[in-house]
Amino acid sequence: MSDASLDAALDAIAEGRHGDPFAVLGPHGGKVRTFQPGALAVEAVPQGGSPVLLRQVHDQGIFEGEVPEGRYTLRISWPGGVQETEDPYSFGLLLGDLDIYLFGEGRHREMGRVFGAHAMTIDDVPGVRFAVWAPNARRVSVVGDFNSWDGRRHPMRLRGVAGVWELFIPRLGPGTRYKYEIQGRLGGVLPLKADPVAWASELAPGTSSIVAQPEPHSWSDAHWIEQRGALQAPEAPISIYEVHPASWWRAENGQSPDWDGLAARLIPYVTGMGFTHVELLPIMEYPFGGSWGYQPLGLFAPTARFGTPEGFSRFVDHCHEAGIGVILDWVPAHFPSDPHGLGHFDGTALYEHADPREGFHRDWNTLIYNFGRNEVRGFLIASALHWLEHYHVDGLRVDAVASMLYRDYSRNAGEWTPNIHGGRENLEAVAFLRELNEAVRERCPGAIVVAEESTAWPGVSKPVAEGGLGFHYKWNMGWMHDTLHYMQEDPVNRRWHHGEMTFGLVYAFSEKFMLPLSHDEVVHGKGSLLRKMPGDDWQKHANLRAYYGFMWTHPGKKLLFMGGEIAQPGEWNHDSQLPWHLLDNPRHRGMQALVRDLNHAYRENPALHVKDADPSGFAWLVGDDATNSVYAYLRMAEGAPPVLVVCNLTPVPRHGYRIGVPFGGWWKEILNTDASNYGGSGVGNGGGVEAGNEESHGQPASLVLTLPPLATLILSP
């Protein structure tokens, strides 16, 4: 390098615009060069040799000197003291060629352990290895408290065509706050960016990334992992309690619990209520609390709102010890445009589309991932696998799948671009979802992926090999909309809407469905489930109890958002805890007891769950009695007693109501939602009824029942 070119290179280093710092800094043919702006003096201390005082060769703080080849440390005199450290620019390449290749192909399934910031030891030197993707940047630097957030101090090395920047900074460790300072291709410095692959983040409203603890959690859930495939199969009872951790329960000072505090209260509650799973609204780090986590930016980091990543591992482990599965809401459809986030990450549309017709979601003012880009697709799949593998999570519920599948989702004509065939389907998103689900099946046996998909897209839960999207389950949004609409009608008018309760059975077995009464139904002016019910307070509770009875006996796995089990009267408020004081009221306490008993009945009676996805497990007995708003059906499974379900959805008791059944003999009343201990009127059948030999409804025997008002009966021989 000529003197003139060296001077230009030193100027570029000092001004933070050199794209290849390793070409200038570090050891070069017997010389060592280092940039330490503000230092009083710098010495290089060769291993086993005498210190060498480096001379200052640039007025901004670049020092140089003759140093014997081999390992050395830098002894830096600052106005406040002396620092001794290894030279970051004395280390060789960090990421392997295979890592770089797989990343470029979008097939690096363990991207989370390679990219981001990882405390490790290299050449016997402890420190932190940083790696980030920014292919269109002129310069990328690691900044933090350790270098006064000065982007000139630790510029990174670019790894060729992959666009990956890397740097090992000695003597940093877990807990270090950091971000990336990126100079865009046009030369301007962007707002500091959080690490897309950080394993930990600063507590909001802070936005820095945090170097996580490297020690893995010592898991004690091997038995659970071994059996969870059977526990989450279509034949298994799955009843999910959906939870927003920040507002389920709060301490007296109003603070949300950490993971350990949540485990101490939530797990015994979920277990006692008979739920099989807990599903958490997104816990991936997110900037705005009012998004409930649905606008995440840290797809590898549990939010700091509830403590450390290790705390989350303990929570999952404790759930498994108690026999509770853990499902996380996961959002690959879109991300917010906060300046520290993924948007325009290297000065270009990197994670998102450049064209707003493809890359901007107007409903949520968010950016849409570019699913056609290998690196973006690989980033998202690696995130999903990170939660399933590193944190032993049992399943992911994928949010807003419909918005991913259709290019014209929530757009008018002319506001979207067709696919290569001129259609509205997002072929890149379809390919991504299939690849995601295949990766989960291959790498995470027993784990499940659930689609929140609200359209009639065919084969959502059909295997990829058979042309489907490959999800294990799909939320049945149609069932939810139809049945809730029916239940909101005054019982006088329900006869005119009778088909809304039966229509779901037309397509109930076209997918492997979950029946969701989720958080989305109790926010934004929709009112709580209880408030949706017509009538006075008693009738509202009775309607809701009857509806729960219908839901828990209908084909499909179950999901209920927190607060529904205590008949919360007001809309869910994410800024406060659930109104637990309602349990002092017998009606609300009765609703809680009903949900608990429904869970147990669902789990203890194979007929109610084994054939949730098989039409041979369901038969209508009474589906056309619109005049009386009565429904009756059988649930069945081989080798198990059948279950008869009867719903009377008017406030009028029906006496002497005959219903055909397949067996004579005694039919026990397993559950009556009108029982007095649930807050009902206590009308019923004295615990059971003897079936006579009179044929009815195509069955060889029949029961003559008393149908309580606004109630669901569950009986079994």
Side-chain angles (χ1 to χ4, degrees):
M1 187 181 296
S2 67
D3 290 344
S5 59
L6 177 60
D7 288 343
L10 296 181
D11 286 340
I13 289 288
E15 294 167 10
R17 52 182 176 80
H18 200 293
D20 186 11
F22 281 82
V24 181
L25 303 176
H28 290 278
K31 283 187 177 181
V32 166
R33 195 176 294 120
T34 183
F35 179 40
Q36 305 294 342
L40 302 177
V42 180
E43 293 176 299
V45 184
Q47 190 173 41
S50 301
V52 176
L53 181 65
L54 305 184
R55 66 184 183 279
Q56 186 167 341
V57 296
H58 193 284
D59 60 6
Q60 292 299 308
I62 300 177
F63 297 82
E64 179 185 285
E66 303 284 340
V67 179
E69 292 191 12
R71 297 179 63 174
Y72 63 92
T73 59
L74 299 174
R75 186 179 295 156
I76 309 163
S77 297
W78 301 101
V82 177
Q83 172 193 11
E84 189 153 341
T85 182
E86 290 73 21
D87 187 351
Y89 300 96
S90 66
F91 292 85
L93 299 178
L94 303 176
L95 302 191
D97 290 340
L98 182 60
D99 290 323
I100 297 294
Y101 171 77
L102 290 175
F103 171 71
E105 292 285 303
R107 295 188 292 111
H108 202 312
R109 300 304 187 228
E110 298 184 21
M111 184 178 165
R113 67 168 181 80
V114 174
F115 286 73
H118 296 280
M120 61 179 59
T121 298
I122 297 180
D123 296 338
D124 298 323
V125 177
V128 176
R129 185 190 69 191
F130 298 88
V132 65
W133 179 51
N136 300 303
R138 285 191 177 185
R139 186 258 303 167
V140 180
S141 298
V142 186
V143 295
D145 298 322
F146 54 89
N147 63 12
S148 301
W149 301 87
D150 185 345
R152 302 173 300 162
R153 293 274 298 277
H154 288 100
M156 306 174 78
R157 179 194 345 242
L158 176 63
R159 294 294 301 276
V161 295
V164 176
W165 301 76
E166 63 177 24
L167 187 68
F168 178 72
I169 303 182
R171 306 201 185 191
L172 294 186
T176 300
R177 295 196 313 150
Y178 72 99
K179 285 186 176 180
Y180 295 114
E181 182 181 280
I182 299 176
Q183 187 180 59
R185 63 181 178 183
L186 299 180
V189 175
L190 305 174
L192 296 183
K193 294 290 189 178
D195 190 340
V197 193
W199 283 23
S201 298
E202 188 178 21
L203 180 63
T207 57
S208 295
S209 300
I210 304 287
V211 178
Q213 292 286 346
E215 296 82 11
H217 177 74
S218 180
W219 292 92
S220 60
D221 63 349
H223 178 66
W224 168 268
I225 297 296
E226 183 180 343
Q227 64 175 345
R228 71 176 180 185
L231 296 174
Q232 302 191 133
E235 299 79 24
I238 297 178
S239 181
I240 302 167
Y241 188 55
E242 188 189 32
V243 174
H244 179 249
S247 60
W248 182 75
W249 168 81
R250 293 193 173 188
E252 290 184 3
N253 62 5
Q255 293 298 308
S256 301
D258 63 8
W259 289 117
D260 293 322
L262 197 67
R265 288 177 175 264
L266 179 61
I267 294 174
Y269 182 79
V270 171
T271 303
M273 288 294 296
F275 289 99
T276 63
H277 289 68
V278 62
E279 179 173 323
L280 303 179
L281 271 60
I283 61 156
M284 301 79 194
E285 192 58 80
Y286 52 97
F288 176 47
S291 77
W292 318 324
Y294 286 99
Q295 294 191 7
L297 282 175
L299 265 65
F300 291 76
T303 176
R305 290 166 174 84
F306 312 119
T308 64
E310 172 60 21
F312 178 62
S313 295
R314 288 194 300 272
F315 173 82
V316 175
D317 213 359
H318 290 323
C319 284
H320 291 169
E321 289 172 3
I324 299 296
V326 180
I327 299 173
L328 300 183
D329 278 14
W330 181 66
V331 188
H334 61 117
F335 59 92
S337 58
D338 298 61
H340 71 279
L342 301 176
H344 232 58
F345 188 78
D346 64 356
T348 67
L350 190 62
Y351 288 87
E352 72 274 29
H353 291 273
D355 187 340
R357 294 176 299 173
E358 295 184 272
F360 184 71
H361 204 302
R362 295 178 304 177
D363 287 359
W364 302 310
N365 290 320
T366 52
L367 302 172
I368 300 171
Y369 286 104
N370 183 349
F371 302 113
R373 189 161 196 165
N374 287 350
E375 298 89 344
V376 174
R377 196 169 60 251
F379 165 80
L380 291 169
I381 294 174
S383 164
L385 295 173
H386 179 69
W387 299 100
L388 296 169
E389 295 179 335
H390 184 75
Y391 289 111
H392 288 207
V393 165
D394 303 294
L396 300 174
R397 175 269 199 185
V398 182
D399 182 63
V401 171
S403 75
M404 301 168 66
L405 293 175
Y406 299 97
R407 288 175 164 267
D408 63 345
Y409 183 89
S410 196
R411 296 178 187 272
N412 299 317
E415 297 175 345
W416 57 281
T417 58
N419 62 33
I420 57 173
H421 305 299
R424 58 194 286 255
E425 299 81 8
N426 189 328
L427 303 180
E428 295 82 6
V430 170
F432 159 70
L433 291 171
R434 287 174 170 161
E435 186 179 357
L436 163 71
N437 290 323
E438 286 294 276
V440 171
R441 287 181 189 273
E442 176 185 338
R443 295 180 62 103
C444 308
I448 59 173
V449 188
V450 183
E452 185 218 12
E453 204 285 308
S454 55
T455 74
W457 186 282
V460 171
S461 58
K462 194 175 183 180
V464 172
E466 299 175 18
L469 294 183
F471 286 94
H472 295 83
Y473 297 99
K474 171 181 171 173
W475 275 20
N476 194 335
M477 309 293 281
W479 173 90
M480 179 271 297
H481 284 297
D482 289 346
T483 59
L484 270 182
H485 183 267
Y486 174 91
M487 293 304 299
Q488 290 177 85
E489 289 290 338
D490 188 290
V492 172
N493 299 322
R494 284 177 177 169
R495 66 177 63 190
W496 311 115
H497 301 271
H498 195 75
E500 292 178 351
M501 295 292 273
T502 61
F503 182 67
L505 269 303
V506 172
Y507 60 88
F509 308 105
S510 62
E511 300 276 4
K512 296 180 180 68
F513 278 122
M514 284 186 176
L515 310 181
L517 292 178
S518 75
H519 64 281
D520 279 330
E521 311 321 314
V522 293
V523 291
H524 301 320
K526 296 178 183 177
S528 68
L529 293 179
L530 184 68
R531 283 284 183 260
K532 296 179 196 296
M533 302 296 118
D536 59 23
D537 188 65
W538 187 92
Q539 289 188 342
K540 288 180 184 296
H541 281 83
N543 272 298
L544 188 56
R545 290 194 304 268
Y547 184 44
Y548 284 163
F550 176 76
M551 172 181 174
W552 256 262
T553 56
H554 190 285
K557 309 310 178 187
K558 324 302 176 189
L559 180 141
L560 182 67
F561 183 57
M562 64 182 204
E565 82 279 14
I566 61 173
Q568 180 174 349
E571 277 196 346
W572 166 52
N573 179 4
H574 69 270
D575 286 326
S576 64
Q577 69 172 356
L578 292 182
W580 294 111
H581 65 276
L582 293 174
L583 294 177
D584 294 333
N585 182 307
R587 285 180 183 168
H588 295 279
R589 193 165 60 248
M591 190 72 70
Q592 185 188 50
L594 171 69
V595 172
R596 180 184 63 241
D597 290 353
L598 283 169
N599 274 329
H600 288 297
Y602 172 61
R603 297 173 70 168
E604 293 165 4
N605 289 274
L608 289 178
H609 62 256
V610 168
K611 294 200 170 184
D612 269 339
D614 185 333
S616 68
F618 180 92
W620 279 114
L621 297 173
V622 179
D624 57 356
D625 189 358
T627 302
N628 294 309
S629 297
V630 170
Y631 304 85
Y633 47 91
L634 286 173
R635 296 295 309 277
M636 297 161 288
E638 284 88 355
V643 170
L644 169 67
V645 182
V646 187
C647 304
N648 174 20
L649 298 180
T650 69
V652 180
R654 309 287 176 190
H655 299 285
Y657 198 101
R658 183 177 297 276
I659 297 177
V661 289
F663 302 111
W666 182 259
W667 283 67
K668 179 184 177 182
E669 201 172 68
I670 297 174
L671 189 145
N672 175 358
T673 67
D674 190 50
S676 55
N677 60 309
Y678 301 144
S681 63
V683 174
N685 295 277
V689 178
E690 186 77 19
N693 294 324
E694 184 174 338
E695 295 183 10
S696 185
H697 301 103
Q699 302 294 322
S702 59
L703 300 172
V704 177
L705 296 172
T706 293
L707 307 186
L710 296 173
T712 294
L713 297 177
I714 306 176
L715 301 100
S716 185

